[in-house]
Amino acid sequence: MFQSFDNPGDFSQSAARIDALRGVLKEAGVDGFIVPRADEHQGEYIPPSAARLEWLTGFSGSAGVAVVLSDRAAILVDGRYTLQVRDQIDLGAVTPLSSIETPLPAYLESEAAGLRIAYDPWLHTISEVETLGRIMAATGGALVALEANPVDRIWTDRPAPPKGRAFLHGDNLAGKSAAAKIGDVQAAIAAAKADLTVLTDPSSIAWTFNIRGADVAHTPLMLAFAIVPATGRPRLYVDPDKLDDGVSGQLSSLAEIRPPEAFEGELGEHAKGHAAGLDPHLAASWLATIVEAAGGRVVELTDPARLPRAIKNDGELAGSRAAHRRDGLAMVRFLAWLDRQAPGSLDEIAAAERLEAFRAEAGEAAGVALADISFDTISGSGPNGAIVHYRVNRETNRRLGAGELFLIDSGAQYLDGTTDITRTVPIGEPDPLAKTRFTQVLKGMIGISLARFPKGTRGVDIDVLARIALWKAGCDYAHGTGHGVGAFLAVHEGPQSISRRGMAVLQPGMIVSNEPGYYKEGAFGIRIENLVVVTEAEAIAGGDLPMHGFETLTLAPIDRRLIDRTLLTDEELGWLNAYHARVRDTLAADLAAEDATWLEAATRPV
């Protein structure tokens, strides 16, 4: 199985660890230290050796930052983790705060004024350090870079860095050769009047070199850095133990393969007297220090692989459609199986394991192996479903009880595509309030599905479409409506999103999730999620502008038992019935008779 259900780490040691950290900070002559959930690549997906925040505080979420001062400590998390964080930390040692209400700069300004606050320059971006440095200077304090991370000094049993085996991602799946992609990256470097750039994001390295790896859980990334000159051969800095002869030979035809320990020195050599393009929002602050110390000049350059990686080519889109059809078969088999279980007979772990097995079987039947799940399955029954990023373990595992809602958010990593889907189902007879909220969430999801928007529209411009029905009822949800998704890469991919922070323009070929929700603490959670791809919409008679829209990729029924028909407009009802007809027509022929019969009933017109 790809997912572990072991209990999370014990936070009983966090108070002692924080005290030990304070001792190290006192020796260093600083008043506090910032502990982000980050590694040297600034990505969401980190190996166990970089999980400093979790080791120190117990918090295991995918986003957060702690600040340890001499007399207090706080951890800042967003709305996805406000419930989870309180269950995972020692509230006597660490105070949880909302990073939305109190972002890190505001916290430092109010709580650390006049102090010397230290940070690890490998774990913060160039732009973040500039912002925090200004804040601290304005308070009369200082932001102090440390050469060595003080957490590592007290983390005596820290895991070794990962050595996952890398493998090639064929041109037939990638849709474009690595040589052509390198050429595009080099053209972007030259256009920015830079002499070189550093690719720091493992997703960008994976996309550029058509390589995949196994260094982090559920995401096929090889942790590495690359120096790409405007002309000439790139240099790829990767642990040779990750490369077999075939992979090494292929990569060597594209770039010089260098050991990781050579990276800092060679970056300085290449940057001397040259303009080095660095992405201020992705590159570690330490890289700018290396360039400038060597006599080079830092040029602001958005990661040149980021946007082309987000805009899927025809080959990647074909793979994604095939992966979603395969995933739809697995989901239908799972939902049909779930309906046949008696209320109370099944628990959250058993449900997650069964879905994983259905996905593996679907991949095997199609001859496209399930490489992994795309994230730890969120399998939440009743009140656990109200924890937005709930991760079931053997301690929290509960049965799917009669009269409750069950929320399951899951995804797969097939070699040809990445999937992510959420469905909420009733166990027995649903509560009337649950039906009302479910239908309001559904109205938001349909609103995004039906959206038509002009060229230049950003995710922030349409996020309201998913929320308006809930807003009218005095409700909302504390997460984005949609995140970008990679092509057999990260299930969370930028720059595209549909959210209050979604400032990237939505362009044809971008895949995003469409997942409004509602969460009633202590009672239930609701989320409905499909993946969609931005397309060029058909021209509208009499219209003035070419428009974009969405094609829905995900294929699985939306539970009819939770829909209040009286709350849907005719247009919304038309979309729902057409979607269900497409799901049925696409999948039914490849299902066993029992499951096909279930699908027929589940997709009847509402």
Side-chain angles (χ1 to χ4, degrees), residues 366-434:
V368 182
L370 174 67
D372 202 339
I373 54 177
S374 55
F375 55 95
D376 282 335
T377 298
I378 298 170
S379 177
S381 170
N384 286 345
I387 303 171
V388 178
H389 273 206
Y390 170 68
R391 179 186 176 278
V392 59
N393 58 65
R394 303 195 188 283
E395 183 177 306
T396 64
N397 187 30
R398 70 188 304 275
R399 293 196 171 275
L400 281 56
E404 295 184 334
L405 296 187
F406 174 55
L407 185 157
I408 186 155
D409 184 350
S410 65
Q413 292 283 12
Y414 301 103
L415 296 179
D416 53 357
T418 300
T419 69
D420 183 3
I421 174 176
T422 309
R423 290 295 183 263
T424 305
V425 300
I427 306 301
E429 184 64 28
D431 178 86
L433 175 62

Side-chain angles (χ1 to χ4, degrees), residues 232-471:
R233 284 168 61 80
R235 290 195 170 200
L236 184 61
Y237 297 85
V238 58
D239 187 333
D241 289 345
K242 299 177 183 179
L243 311 178
D244 63 25
D245 290 343
V247 173
S248 181
Q250 176 65 25
L251 290 178
S252 295
S253 70
L254 301 165
E256 300 292 336
I257 307 302
R258 303 289 295 145
E261 55 269 22
F263 172 58
E264 291 188 46
E266 293 186 2
L267 174 59
E269 293 173 9
H270 283 275
K272 185 176 182 179
H274 292 101
L278 295 177
D279 190 324
H281 304 294
L282 291 177
S285 172
W286 184 241
L287 299 183
T289 300
I290 293 172
V291 169
E292 291 168 348
R297 178 169 57 91
V298 173
V299 174
E300 184 173 323
L301 173 61
T302 299
D303 178 342
R306 187 170 165 87
L307 186 59
R309 186 181 82 230
I311 300 173
K312 309 299 182 288
N313 60 45
D314 290 344
E316 291 169 324
L317 289 175
S320 184
R321 292 186 180 102
H324 277 88
R325 185 183 183 283
R326 190 180 313 121
D327 210 54
L329 290 168
M331 281 299 303
V332 167
R333 292 182 65 200
F334 168 75
L335 292 171
W337 169 83
L338 183 65
D339 252 11
R340 293 192 285 268
Q341 311 307 306
S345 66
L346 190 67
D347 62 31
E348 295 166 338
I349 290 177
E353 289 178 333
R354 194 69 190 96
L355 177 53
E356 190 172 308
F358 279 130
R359 282 197 163 104
E361 291 166 9
E364 182 179 357
V368 182
L370 174 67
D372 202 339
I373 54 177
S374 55
F375 55 95
D376 282 335
T377 298
I378 298 170
S379 177
S381 170
N384 286 345
I387 303 171
V388 178
H389 273 206
Y390 170 68
R391 179 186 176 278
V392 59
N393 58 65
R394 303 195 188 283
E395 183 177 306
T396 64
N397 187 30
R398 70 188 304 275
R399 293 196 171 275
L400 281 56
E404 295 184 334
L405 296 187
F406 174 55
L407 185 157
I408 186 155
D409 184 350
S410 65
Q413 292 283 12
Y414 301 103
L415 296 179
D416 53 357
T418 300
T419 69
D420 183 3
I421 174 176
T422 309
R423 290 295 183 263
T424 305
V425 300
I427 306 301
E429 184 64 28
D431 178 86
L433 175 62
K435 290 185 66 172
T436 298
R437 294 290 182 255
F438 182 92
T439 309
Q440 289 161 343
V441 171
L442 176 60
K443 287 171 72 69
M445 196 270 276
I446 295 174
I448 295 294
S449 303
L450 287 170
R452 293 294 181 269
F453 46 91
K455 180 179 179 180
T457 297
R458 306 160 301 171
V460 66
D461 300 323
I462 64 172
D463 180 69
V464 64
L465 298 177
R467 300 179 188 271
I468 192 65
L470 287 166
W471 284 358

